[in-house]
Amino acid sequence: MSDFRPFAGERIAVLGLGKAGLPAAARLAAWGADVTCWDDRAEGRAAAEAAGFTLRDSAAGPFTQDALLLSPGIPHILPQPHPAAARAREAGRPILCDVEYLFRAVRAAGSAARFVGITGTNGKSTTTALLHHLLVGAGRVSAVGGNLGPAALGLNMLGSEGVYTLEMSSYSLERIATVGFNVGVMLNLSPDHLDRHGSMAGYAAAKANVFARQGRDDVAVLGQDDELSVAMAGSVTARLVPVSGLRAVPGGVWAAGPMLRDDAGDIADLRDAPALPGSHNAQNAAAATAAGLVLGLDRAGIAAGLASFPGLPHRQERVGTLRGVAFVNDSKATNADSAARALASYDRVVWIAGGIAKEGGIESLAPYFPRIARAILIGRDAPAFAATLAAHGVAHEVAGTLDEALPAAASAAFGGAAPVVLLSPACASFDQFSGFDARGDHFRTLVQAMGATDIGRAA
């Protein structure tokens, strides 16, 4: 489609040239846009220059482009707008994300490919990957990306038979203007990113954009396991399909014990899906199943797909079993609510937690403290976590680093404290790691090294 130029003549400034920004600039230029690039990091600017792009700092002088494509991580309002975003807003120009441009291009090409947007405070990556897995397993054409990766403008153009399965963060959802998802999925809502959205109401409004511009032929899949999500039902204009991992929701998809069901009866036995433990994953499975049914998948194929789903790294990922103890990497649990979902999945654990805590720390996890045989704490806020655990009578120690924590946790587990060592930090990782993925990778490496040592002794 070398003559496909849906953005010919449009002047688009791209700010933030990381994993999404530079591919977006290249795709927009190929589609006819007049693209200028900027990154506050010298290495980002160098990469753009090497790719042949014109560098222009949109914060220097009046904003004269037609739109600003802003990297999701760069704020445009709170807590402090980037100067370029402030200039664009002063000029009345839209600030958009890459999904907006993908949607416009696909529709300009005449394709009726369906767009599925999946969001929620927790579980959106798993649900996105799971739906993609179900679609591909059924022989359907699905392009998966967005917040999960790869970047939206790095995805292939799909014909009318295709499905874009997109994880949507609140950062991206507040920067769409014309996108109307054929299937919008909202899993759950709990406090997060409040510095960026100003309040819980602002965060909820951003998430609710997954249902914006839907018509009566579209579908809104809405989680029923928290009050804030349930409250969104009043603003939904599409056909509502409720989902739950805890209780029956007539007209929707839900888990009744281990069985995933809808009004027509049993769909799948979740005991056959080892990568989806716990009630939160039951809701993720219900949401992916509901979307799959809407998209025409059959029940038997969905059951087979749930059973074969391998899971995602760093999300209750079993990285090894040693001496009968399972080691679980849930490094993606960067807030207490996400850690609660992991703790609820196991009867008894040795828990590794800590890092940079979110507001409120781990006090909200008190109902799960009886499941913790011993806690091993790491990172900046380990002392604060220790104080909370001490107040509740939970056995714990401060290890400091993951390298020190794992041997202590393994020793406790091997001594009979619990059959599971769970890394579910309830914290951001940036005090000790470049991100949750680096933290989880290091945990996996440490477990594998310990396993090799154990195997050597056994021999």
Side-chain angles (χ1 to χ4, degrees), residues 244 254-262 265-272 282:
S244 174
W254 66 90
M259 302 306 297
L260 196 66
R261 308 196 66 202
D262 64 3
D266 291 343
I267 300 171
D269 188 334
L270 293 175
R271 289 172 294 192
D272 296 332

Side-chain angles (χ1 to χ4, degrees), residues 107-124:
R107 295 295 182 251
S111 171
R114 280 177 279 188
F115 279 73
V116 180
I118 299 171
T119 198
T121 302
N122 296 298
K124 54 186 177 293

Side-chain angles (χ1 to χ4, degrees), residues 115-119 180-187 207-224 229-230 232-244 249-253 286-288 290-292 294:
F115 279 73
V116 180
I118 299 171
T119 198
F181 290 107
N182 302 100
V183 182
V185 179
M186 172 66 198
L187 296 166
K207 288 292 193 183
N209 274 340
V210 77
F211 300 134
R213 291 169 296 279
Q214 285 193 308
R216 293 185 178 180
D217 293 334
D218 299 322
V219 170
V221 176
L222 184 60
Q224 302 293 297
S229 295
V230 171
M232 289 188 179
S235 61
V236 168
T237 57
R239 177 165 67 90
L240 180 64
V241 178
V243 294
S244 174
V249 283
V253 180
V294 168

Side-chain angles (χ1 to χ4, degrees), residues 22-387:
L22 204 55
R27 196 70 173 277
L28 291 170
W31 284 340
D34 178 4
V35 176
T36 58
C37 293
W38 189 256
D39 196 297
D40 293 334
R41 302 168 301 119
E43 58 267 35
R45 297 194 296 274
E49 276 195 305
F53 287 105
T54 300
L55 291 178
R56 178 175 179 178
D57 183 359
S58 297
F63 190 90
T64 58
Q65 292 94 334
D66 297 315
L68 174 63
L69 195 162
L70 190 60
S71 174
I74 301 174
H76 72 284
I77 300 177
L78 295 172
Q80 182 69 35
H82 188 281
R87 294 276 190 184
R89 292 182 68 214
E90 289 168 4
R93 300 294 192 271
I95 299 173
L96 303 171
C97 71
D98 54 358
V99 173
E100 174 69 24
Y101 284 103
L102 175 66
F103 181 81
R104 292 183 186 183
V106 170
R107 295 295 182 251
S111 171
R114 280 177 279 188
F115 279 73
V116 180
I118 299 171
T119 198
T121 302
N122 296 298
K124 54 186 177 293
S125 294
T126 294
T127 304
T128 302
L130 177 57
L131 177 58
H132 175 68
H133 177 77
L134 297 178
L135 289 165
V136 171
R140 301 285 292 277
V141 177
S142 170
V144 65
N147 194 58
L148 178 67
L153 282 175
L155 300 176
N156 291 331
M157 290 288 285
L158 302 181
S160 295
E161 78 288 350
V163 179
Y164 288 99
T165 308
L166 303 173
E167 177 184 331
M168 298 297 297
S169 69
S170 59
Y171 295 175
S172 292
L173 283 168
E174 65 181 356
R175 294 177 187 162
I176 57 175
T178 65
V179 179
F181 290 107
N182 302 100
V183 182
V185 179
M186 172 66 198
L187 296 166
N188 51 67
L189 197 62
S190 59
D192 207 3
H193 307 306
L194 300 189
D195 60 332
R196 176 70 174 261
H197 298 292
S199 66
M200 197 63 207
Y203 178 49
K207 288 292 193 183
N209 274 340
V210 77
F211 300 134
R213 291 169 296 279
Q214 285 193 308
R216 293 185 178 180
D217 293 334
D218 299 322
V219 170
V221 176
L222 184 60
Q224 302 293 297
D225 295 342
D226 66 281
E227 292 181 3
L228 293 172
S229 295
V230 171
M232 289 188 179
S235 61
V236 168
T237 57
R239 177 165 67 90
L240 180 64
V241 178
V243 294
S244 174
L246 299 172
R247 59 187 177 85
V249 283
V253 180
W254 66 90
M259 302 306 297
L260 196 66
R261 308 196 66 202
D262 64 3
D263 289 342
D266 291 343
I267 300 171
D269 188 334
L270 293 175
R271 289 172 294 192
D272 296 332
L276 297 166
S279 62
H280 64 294
N281 271 318
Q283 190 194 51
N284 295 340
T289 295
L293 291 171
V294 168
L295 294 167
L297 302 188
D298 65 77
R299 301 164 75 88
I302 288 173
L306 293 172
S308 64
F309 180 58
L312 288 174
H314 316 302
R315 297 157 177 88
Q316 294 204 53
E317 173 195 11
R318 292 197 173 220
V319 296
T321 302
L322 305 170
R323 304 187 199 174
V325 174
F327 290 79
V328 179
N329 166 25
D330 193 46
S331 184
K332 183 63 168 64
T334 58
N335 57 50
D337 188 60
S338 186
R341 295 161 187 270
L343 290 169
S345 300
Y346 306 98
D347 292 332
R348 196 76 172 154
V349 302
V350 177
W351 183 39
I352 300 176
I356 301 175
K358 302 290 176 68
E359 184 177 349
I362 56 170
E363 187 63 44
S364 65
L365 297 179
Y368 303 98
F369 287 169
R371 298 171 184 248
I372 300 170
R374 188 169 188 82
I376 316 295
L377 305 174
I378 64 173
R380 188 193 76 179
D381 290 326
F385 281 19

